[in-house]
Amino acid sequence: MREFLLDRLPASAEVESRLAAGEFVDQRGAPLTGDEPFRAHAFVWFHRPLAPEVPVPFPVPVLDRTENLVVVDKPHFLATTPRGMHVRETALVKLRVALDLPELAPAHRLDRLTAGVLAFTTRREVRGAYAGVFQSREVAKTYEALARFDPSLAFPRRLMGRIEKRRGSLQAELVPGEPNAETLVEVLEVRGDLARYRLTPVTGKTHQLRLQLADAGLPIVGDPLYPEVVDADPADFSEPLRLIARRLTFTDPLDGVERDYVSSRELEWPASPIASGPLPS
């Protein structure tokens, strides 16, 4: 067993010291010493060492907490769930610790750079019911974004296309084929060459809103991925993506209550000398 572990873990994993500390366990949770005989197709469980993370210096306000749900107003820059370099600094881990809810799980997800309403289930036995609601499009979601304004475009307008995201690529792509992504775009306010938009997605493809707006020539302010990838300092929180999941409504599948949650976060207009004013009615 010891040779098996050494063969599959990098030297920096300090296998010997971790074995001595009982950090490797079998499927029953019993610590392994490394002297056990090799067994084919057996599983060995351990937690990988976590690299230091840049703290995300924003609170995660709770909008509602029930027996089955926790709904929060997620800040920009905070990932929903652990992935890659983000583990401790994620909404899921922070809330599990702060609320003492070890079975907390996301009912849906928001991009790390997107702020706004985000819902979690509190217990394993209720996950399926809420997953069914979100997967069946019985949830109404509206977003708000600051993006370029093009007076030659007519609004409201519906953006449709086929979105695919290849493994290993940072960007999703619009490709030929049957549309699988649809978003209604409405203008709420215009200030010079920028506008505040209400976005109502019919579908929920990865980066759908960001990609479709950029493709329409209306890139969202502060977007480091669309239309072009821009290197961003993970410790720089000064330029958030101007995209907020503003409202989330659905019928609770377990108690029939109409759930309606609204983010109180503000979209920060860039400090540039542009004329301001609401759209004429």
Side-chain angles (χ1 to χ4, degrees):
M1 176 66 74
R2 190 181 305 272
E3 289 73 15
F4 171 81
L5 291 169
L6 288 168
D7 183 52
R8 283 158 176 78
L9 292 172
S12 60
E14 300 178 348
V15 173
E16 294 289 352
S17 62
R18 299 190 67 187
L19 280 169
E23 296 180 12
F24 293 97
V25 300
D26 62 18
Q27 289 174 280
R28 300 169 299 169
L32 299 169
T33 66
D35 295 324
E36 294 83 0
F38 174 77
R39 289 184 292 119
H41 308 298
F43 286 93
V44 175
W45 300 90
F46 64 96
H47 292 286
R48 64 180 173 88
L50 298 180
E53 298 179 45
V54 177
V56 178
F58 308 114
V60 188
V62 175
L63 299 176
D64 191 21
R65 180 175 178 178
T66 72
E67 180 184 6
N68 302 319
L69 288 172
V70 171
V71 183
V72 302
D73 201 351
K74 187 184 85 67
H76 294 286
F77 300 106
L78 187 68
T80 297
T81 58
R83 184 177 182 183
M85 68 177 68
H86 308 288
V87 180
R88 296 187 186 93
E89 293 299 313
T90 62
L92 178 62
V93 173
K94 284 177 174 286
L95 290 167
R96 279 182 173 178
V97 173
L99 303 178
D100 191 23
L101 292 172
E103 294 186 0
L104 195 74
H108 63 115
R109 285 172 173 77
L110 293 178
D111 290 344
R112 184 178 69 87
L113 299 182
T114 303
V117 182
L118 178 61
F120 295 83
T121 58
T122 60
R123 297 176 292 124
R124 184 177 290 108
E125 57 266 32
V126 304
R127 290 178 192 171
Y130 290 97
V133 171
F134 280 85
Q135 293 169 5
S136 64
R137 301 182 187 175
E138 296 176 14
V139 175
K141 301 177 183 178
T142 57
Y143 293 72
E144 287 185 18
L146 292 185
R148 177 177 175 269
F149 178 66
D150 185 347
S152 70
L153 298 178
F155 293 93
R157 67 189 299 111
R158 199 167 292 274
L159 303 180
M160 299 183 66
R162 183 168 190 82
I163 292 178
E164 293 183 0
K165 189 173 188 301
R166 294 182 174 86
R167 187 177 182 87
S169 173
L170 293 176
Q171 292 180 317
E173 299 177 277
L174 280 165
V175 299
E178 181 179 355
N180 63 359
E182 179 180 351
T183 304
L184 175 65
V185 182
E186 301 169 276
V187 178
L188 299 176
E189 179 184 6
V190 175
R191 298 188 188 184
D193 58 358
L194 295 178
R196 179 167 60 94
Y197 296 92
R198 178 166 55 225
L199 311 174
T200 306
V202 178
T203 54
K205 293 298 180 180
T206 299
H207 296 174
Q208 175 175 320
L209 305 179
R210 299 163 66 179
L211 173 56
Q212 287 188 321
L213 283 182
D215 182 70
L218 310 172
I220 298 176
V221 176
D223 195 336
L225 286 185
Y226 301 95
E228 297 179 353
V229 177
V230 178
D231 287 335
D233 181 354
D236 183 1
F237 303 105
S238 63
E239 187 66 16
L241 175 71
R242 304 317 200 272
L243 178 62
I244 292 175
R246 179 62 71 196
R247 190 170 187 177
L248 178 70
T249 61
F250 61 94
T251 302
D252 194 299
L254 297 181
D255 58 19
V257 172
E258 296 298 321
R259 305 286 179 187
D260 189 349
Y261 302 107
V262 178
S263 170
S264 62
R265 297 190 178 278
E266 297 292 332
L267 283 169
E268 180 184 348
W269 292 79
S272 57
I274 54 179
S276 64
L279 274 181
S281 58

